[in-house]
Amino acid sequence: MTAPRFDHIACFIDGSEAAAHALRHAEGLRALSGGRLSVVHVIASPSFLVSLAAGLGGGVVNDPEIERDAAQMWLDEQVRDREGAEAVLLEGHPASEACDWAAGAGVDVMVAATHRGLVERALLGSFAGHIAHHAPCPVLLVPPGDRN
């Protein structure tokens, strides 16, 4: 049996410690395979946020351009000292956009943390659950904490 080859690894992150833990796992995969590492952050599109806010009784949606610029700066900081890593910023419904991008980018494995609480899952859905069922490639879901 031949071991799978991961030429393109994509790790999906947010600002959580669980996502940082998943990124360490993705870097470990990259070290073993020598493949390319895309560090991906998905910001919810303004239309998704407006519909979410409306469903919750209203709310303020910030300037999308400012949000996008801030997210890009944060993401660039996340990959700055990671040799060979590239920053990829996406916009849309996070889980769907992640799967669509992975299919088009030829990703061999998607890495993500499993860390949303009950309230976040109820409001936003489970990112990890969605990609586990809809990804175009294998998925590595990393639980939060020090479990390796």
Side-chain angles (χ1 to χ4, degrees), residues 4 16 23 28 44 48 64 87 89 92-93 109 111 116 119 126 139:
S16 69
L23 183 53
F48 176 72
L89 182 65
H93 179 271
V109 63
V111 181
R116 276 199 178 147
V119 173
S126 170
V139 174

Side-chain angles (χ1 to χ4, degrees), residues 9-21:
I9 300 159
C11 185
F12 296 83
I13 65 169
D14 56 18
S16 69
E17 181 54 40
H21 186 62

Side-chain angles (χ1 to χ4, degrees), residues 14-136:
D14 56 18
S16 69
E17 181 54 40
H21 186 62
L23 183 53
R24 290 189 291 274
H25 279 268
E27 288 178 306
L29 273 179
R30 182 179 172 272
L32 291 172
S33 70
R36 172 177 151 209
L37 175 61
S38 295
V39 180
V40 185
H41 179 64
V42 187
I43 55 175
S45 66
S47 60
F48 176 72
L49 292 175
V50 167
S51 64
L52 181 62
L56 297 174
V60 177
V61 177
N62 294 330
D63 182 331
E65 192 168 323
I66 292 171
E67 294 289 324
R68 196 175 307 110
D69 290 346
Q72 186 67 59
M73 287 174 36
W74 173 81
L75 185 58
D76 290 342
E77 179 67 27
Q78 302 309 302
V79 300
R80 178 173 301 150
D81 295 327
R82 299 180 195 284
E83 185 178 327
E86 66 175 341
V88 177
L89 182 65
L90 304 175
E91 186 176 329
H93 179 271
S96 298
E97 190 64 30
C99 290
D100 291 346
W101 174 83
V107 171
D108 296 306
V109 63
M110 296 170 74
V111 181
T114 59
H115 70 284
R116 276 199 178 147
L118 183 61
V119 173
E120 286 179 300
R121 281 195 310 270
L123 294 175
L124 302 173
S126 170
F127 181 87
H130 183 93
I131 67 170
H133 293 284
H134 300 285

